[in-house]
Amino acid sequence: MDLLKYMRSQNAMTQDEWERTFEEDAREILVLLAGGQGASKRNGFWDVSHYFIAYVDCQTGALHTGDGRIVYPVSDEEHDAGGILDRFRREAVYRLKARKKIPHEIPEGVTASSQNEFLIVEVLEEDALCPALKEVLADYRRPVVVTDEVLGELTLDKDYDTFEGEILWRGEQICLSLEVDAADEDTWTAAVQAMRQMVADQAAWDRDMRAFAARELTQLACEWRESADEEVPEITEGSFARRIELRSIAMDADGSFSGYFDDDDMFFGHCVVVYGTVADGVTSAVMAG
């Protein structure tokens, strides 16, 4: 199944069509919210999501752990009025009447949490008591720290599935983010190994990222220079490559990375982002932010 075609079909759904992708019968659940939240524009309405890490089926008493979402529709008017993401608090337990998502085939690249969804019918209780979810929350709050002899101490941000830390790069400390699946330690190992490869050959990677960004963006920087309010130095590929400074690297478990450079005001405070993979090298560079 094609990912782009799938996403377009989902976004083309009307509210009635979207609601029919959930079971007709509502069930009562206790849900522990943690992680992100957001809203997606669909066909005539907004699909609002709040992420959870576990829920209890009140009928069976069964505890289900794993990422999921509680969702509900809002109109364009409600969205434009603001505050649509303030309805629920993170790290709180809610008792809800909700309709579960009907399982369906999804293409590779769609997150599993999109299948583990509940459409809210009614909010029955806020800050509900549930010993099982209280234990899940206590474990969620417990820090996870990995210490690597090359990358140093890395702390897991469970909301965003990233390990955060700092490394020494060409004599300067920069921020490091390893993007992983928090529930799959194999992805931790893969991301660490990929980043260690970059660190081991950082002089070559630093040179290649700068050179690629200079080739791609020097002309654009010259155009921005022409609109400056004051006289600024001429920008060449050589000066561009020297002026940008690496501030952070984000590495995925599959070996793809993003390097974020300070632009030295060539783009008036925007950043330069360089993309690539450990296997294939640098592949693209953009001005962003």
Side-chain angles (χ1 to χ4, degrees), residues 52-206:
F52 64 76
I53 56 174
Y55 75 92
V56 170
D57 187 313
C58 293
Q59 182 176 354
T60 65
L63 170 66
H64 301 266
T65 58
D67 293 340
R69 309 173 190 174
I70 57 172
V71 300
Y72 55 95
V74 301
S75 66
D76 288 335
E77 292 75 18
E78 290 173 297
H79 174 270
D80 294 344
I84 63 171
L85 298 180
D86 300 333
R87 182 175 177 183
F88 295 94
R89 295 185 297 106
R90 291 178 62 255
E91 299 191 6
V93 175
Y94 289 84
R95 184 185 296 272
L96 306 173
K97 182 182 288 187
R99 296 161 53 192
K100 187 170 176 55
K101 188 81 168 182
I102 299 171
H104 65 281
E105 183 184 359
I106 58 174
E108 184 178 352
V110 177
T111 60
S113 63
S114 67
Q115 286 286 76
N116 191 23
E117 287 188 347
F118 287 90
L119 174 62
I120 298 171
V121 175
E122 184 180 357
V123 179
L124 302 174
E125 184 181 359
E126 184 178 347
D127 291 324
L129 297 177
C130 179
L133 292 180
K134 185 177 181 180
E135 289 185 18
V136 174
L137 179 58
D139 183 65
Y140 179 80
R141 287 173 170 170
R142 192 172 296 119
V144 174
V145 179
V146 170
T147 302
D148 181 78
E149 61 183 15
V150 174
L151 305 183
E153 187 174 282
L154 304 166
T155 302
L156 179 63
D157 185 327
K158 298 178 183 179
D159 285 347
Y160 296 99
D161 278 8
T162 59
F163 277 99
E164 305 293 337
E166 290 188 346
I167 56 171
L168 192 65
W169 185 273
R170 306 290 289 159
E172 299 289 340
Q173 289 292 126
I174 66 168
C175 296
L176 172 64
S177 179
L178 303 181
E179 300 181 2
V180 301
D181 179 347
D184 183 357
E185 293 192 18
D186 287 343
T187 66
W188 307 6
T189 302
V192 166
Q193 291 176 342
M195 193 63 231
R196 288 181 67 164
Q197 290 183 52
M198 284 196 76
V199 171
D201 201 13
Q202 59 184 266
W205 280 108
D206 192 84

Side-chain angles (χ1 to χ4, degrees), residues 42-57:
R42 294 191 183 269
N43 185 1
F45 71 102
W46 289 80
D47 166 8
V48 183
S49 303
H50 296 265
Y51 288 74
F52 64 76
I53 56 174
Y55 75 92
V56 170
D57 187 313

